[in-house]
């Protein structure tokens, strides 16, 4: 007798890694093994009545790929199943996800609270757009619970945070900040890009919305941009965020959604391997004569070690490396690299390193750089899937000749 669920496998009883392989599948009547790529903008109807019904119903029938597409839905459902979300929507980039997650719910006169240590575009989307549209934005030291408490002693509509932050690797106490935010009436949006869904589960600490730049570890192979918005409660996603998305159109392309869907199958394996290698690289750099300081969530020397153990299950693949000296010394280390590539992307299978002060964060004022910890001697390293000893050898070449 044929299995009845082979077209839409029920993964509820499976362990997380298996959900990454089988979650979200909607097989067509051809019963393909590999998820199908529905490269289509629209959908057709057998009659005028059917079209009328499709527009009148609850949205379960697909009508246009800006609202939903079978391949994009499979990607969204696979991540939602893994993350424990009730609703998800894939966007064209991580910034499209950040933008919509915030601005779908903000109105003139509202308040938003966020840490100072943010990815530059997240900072812009909050600071610049708030100023334009009459929203009050308050930036705090994300590591200081007293500062959060003070900022959230007044009503707020949204709280946005990255933990760990890009590139300063500052960690925010998710449980404590979510509690304060909810008392102030705010929804909490967590940008979980650095931790990845593998190493940190923000919904379990009270987050309302989780966003990803899927460009990073979810693709993990440098092939496309993408983003995802996930909500803990279906109604908030479907009623507040979805109307904003379907009318403003930051939708992912089905092809990119298909790449990301297939990448999910190896996400846990890749992140675990990258995290283990990053730990080795961080231990090599710690105490190195040419290194002033290395910040890595997996090291005991990280100032927020206890909090990290409470809310993350691994250190991740990102390191902040402070070389002894300044820009000249940092550039020397970059220029001596042979295998590790100089690039401002991250989460890739290839190890990538960048000098944030002159690239990703070059538009910040000197004061903003200082507050965000972007010093001239800082290098950001994204550890890839190579043999960690080759990454260490590459770094040592530049360090030993300083
Ligand atoms: C890269 C990144 C983004 C933006 O993602 P894109 O896919 O480049 O638009 C947002 N937040 C964080 C923390 C990031 O690292």
């Amino acid at each position: 007798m044929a299995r009845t669920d082979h077209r839409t496998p029920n993964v509820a009883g499976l362990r997380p890694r298996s959900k990454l392989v089988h979650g979200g599948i909607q097989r067509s009547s051809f019963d393909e093994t590999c998820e199908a790529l529905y490269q289509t903008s629209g959908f057709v109807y057998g009659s005028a009545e059917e079209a009328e019904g499709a527009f009148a119903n609850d949205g379960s029938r697909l009508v246009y790929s800006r609202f939903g597409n079978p391949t994009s839905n499979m990607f969204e459902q696979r991540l939602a199943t893994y993350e424990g979300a009730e609703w998800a929507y894939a966007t064209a980039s991580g910034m499209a996800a950040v933008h919509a997650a915030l601005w779908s719910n903000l109105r003139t006169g509202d308040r938003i609270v966020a840490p100072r240590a943010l990815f530059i575009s997240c900072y812009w989307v909050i600071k610049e757009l708030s100023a334009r549209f009459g929203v009050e934005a308050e930036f705090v030291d994300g590591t200081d619970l007293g500062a959060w408490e003070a900022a959230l002693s007044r009503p707020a509509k949204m709280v946005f945070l990255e933990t760990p932050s890009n590139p300063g690797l500052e960690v925010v106490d998710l449980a404590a900040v979510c509690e304060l935010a909810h008392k102030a009436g705010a929804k909490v949006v967590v940008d979980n890009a650095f931790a990845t869904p593998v190493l940190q589960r923000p919904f379990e600490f009270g987050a309302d919305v989780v966003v990803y730049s899927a460009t990073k570890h979810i693709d993990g192979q440098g092939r496309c941009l993408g983003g995802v918005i996930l909500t803990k409660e279906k109604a908030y996603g479907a009623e507040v965020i979805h109307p904003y998305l379907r009318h403003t159109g930051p939708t992912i392309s089905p092809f990119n959604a298909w790449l990301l869907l297939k990448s999910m199958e190896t996400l846990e394996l890749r992140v675990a391997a990258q995290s283990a290698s990053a730990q080795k690289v961080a231990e090599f750099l710690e105490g190195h004569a040419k290194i002033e300081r290395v910040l890595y969530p997996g090291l005991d020397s990280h100032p927020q070690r206890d909090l990290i153990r409470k809310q993350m299950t691994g250190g991740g693949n990102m390191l902040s490396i402070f070389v002894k000296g300044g820009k000249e010394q940092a550039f020397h280390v970059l220029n001596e690299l042979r295998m590790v590539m100089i690039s401002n992307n991250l989460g890739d299978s290839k190890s990538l390193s960048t000098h944030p002060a002159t690239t990703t964060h070059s538009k910040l004022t000197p004061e903003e750089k200082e507050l965000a910890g972007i010093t001239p001697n800082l290098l950001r390293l994204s550890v890839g899937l190579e043999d960690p000893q080759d990454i260490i050898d590459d770094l040592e070449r530049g360090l030993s000749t300083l």
Side-chain angles (χ1 to χ4, degrees):
M1 204 174 84
R3 291 166 53 187
T4 53
D5 67 345
H6 75 288
R7 291 209 175 121
T8 52
N10 179 357
V11 297
L14 297 181
R15 290 167 181 81
R17 194 193 288 180
S18 309
K19 288 182 177 167
L20 288 176
V21 181
H22 294 280
I25 290 181
Q26 296 170 49
R27 286 204 165 83
S28 77
S29 55
F30 294 115
D31 294 316
E32 62 283 351
T33 311
C34 174
E35 298 77 349
L37 168 53
Y38 291 90
Q39 192 66 47
T40 183
S41 49
F43 303 87
V44 296
Y45 314 94
S47 67
E49 288 76 13
E50 217 181 287
E52 181 184 34
F55 275 80
N57 79 6
D58 59 357
S60 53
R61 165 102 189 221
L62 295 170
V63 296
Y64 191 53
S65 280
R66 171 149 45 79
F67 311 161
N69 169 281
T71 306
S72 309
N73 286 356
M74 285 193 265
F75 168 51
E76 290 156 358
Q77 285 318 305
R78 182 164 292 177
L79 185 57
T81 302
Y82 187 69
E83 188 93 42
E86 286 186 4
W87 180 90
Y89 185 95
T91 54
S93 70
M95 283 321 303
V98 169
H99 171 263
L102 287 171
W103 288 91
S104 56
N105 194 37
L106 285 167
R107 306 230 176 344
T108 301
D110 284 344
R111 278 183 82 231
I112 171 166
V113 180
R116 251 175 240 121
L118 291 178
F119 177 58
I120 182 77
S121 295
C122 296
Y123 183 66
W124 190 94
V125 158
I126 296 171
K127 189 181 175 217
E128 179 66 27
L129 295 186
S130 292
R132 286 186 198 182
F133 297 112
V135 167
E136 183 191 336
E138 183 169 346
F139 293 96
V140 298
D141 173 350
T143 67
D144 179 356
L145 266 187
W148 281 107
E149 208 169 341
L152 293 169
S153 62
R154 284 193 293 137
K157 192 69 164 288
M158 301 300 283
V159 163
F160 178 88
L161 61 95
E162 296 168 14
T163 182
S165 67
N166 179 1
L169 298 170
E170 283 186 13
V171 176
V172 176
D173 188 330
L174 283 171
V177 170
C178 287
E179 199 185 324
L180 289 168
H182 291 154
K183 276 190 198 142
K187 294 277 184 202
V188 181
V189 181
V190 175
D191 181 338
N192 205 33
F194 263 42
T196 80
V198 178
L199 302 176
Q200 181 168 268
R201 302 175 60 77
F203 288 133
E204 291 176 7
F205 298 92
D208 302 288
V209 182
V210 173
V211 291
Y212 288 103
S213 167
T215 315
K216 312 294 169 54
H217 309 76
I218 292 178
D219 171 53
Q221 290 147 90
R223 303 170 300 181
C224 69
L225 300 186
V228 193
I229 309 175
L230 302 114
T231 64
K232 192 172 183 169
E233 284 172 21
K234 183 169 181 164
Y236 185 68
E239 288 161 26
V240 177
I241 306 178
H242 196 244
Y244 190 86
L245 290 165
R246 66 182 268 165
H247 294 298
T248 58
T251 320
I252 196 167
S253 83
F255 181 71
N256 288 356
W258 182 80
L259 290 176
L260 297 169
L261 171 68
K262 298 304 288 175
S263 293
M264 294 281 290
E265 296 177 352
T266 54
L267 181 66
E268 235 187 69
L269 301 175
R270 286 184 287 107
V271 169
Q274 284 167 298
S275 193
S277 293
Q279 183 74 35
K280 286 193 181 137
V281 174
E283 284 167 9
F284 158 75
L285 291 170
E286 183 152 66
H288 191 290
K290 302 293 172 64
I291 296 291
E292 181 186 294
R293 184 176 183 217
V294 54
L295 252 184
Y296 176 66
L299 286 178
D300 282 344
S301 58
H302 191 290
Q304 295 164 288
R305 184 193 63 161
D306 293 339
L307 179 57
I308 289 165
R309 293 217 174 123
K310 206 177 94 186
Q311 64 189 34
M312 292 177 73
T313 53
N317 83 315
M318 300 299 300
L319 282 78
S320 287
I321 305 168
F322 299 85
V323 180
K324 273 189 185 158
K327 178 181 165 186
E328 188 189 325
Q329 286 72 20
F331 271 33
H332 174 80
V333 174
L334 281 186
N335 287 331
E336 287 296 310
L337 295 169
R338 287 183 198 159
M339 180 188 75
V340 177
M341 298 281 116
I342 302 174
S343 172
N344 45 278
N345 197 7
L346 62 95
D348 202 274
S349 55
K350 294 180 171 59
S351 290
L352 306 174
S353 189
T354 188
H355 184 250
T358 53
T359 58
T360 49
H361 290 68
S362 59
K363 304 289 188 297
L364 291 183
T365 65
E367 199 204 0
E368 286 171 325
K369 277 185 197 168
E370 199 184 312
L371 284 168
I374 316 291
T375 54
N377 66 337
L378 168 65
L379 293 176
R380 189 185 73 186
L381 175 67
S382 169
V383 172
L385 286 172
E386 307 94 340
D387 188 310
Q389 192 56 47
D390 283 324
I391 302 168
I392 290 171
D393 291 351
D394 230 17
L395 291 166
E396 177 61 5
R397 187 175 309 107
L399 290 171
S400 64
T401 50
L402 269 178

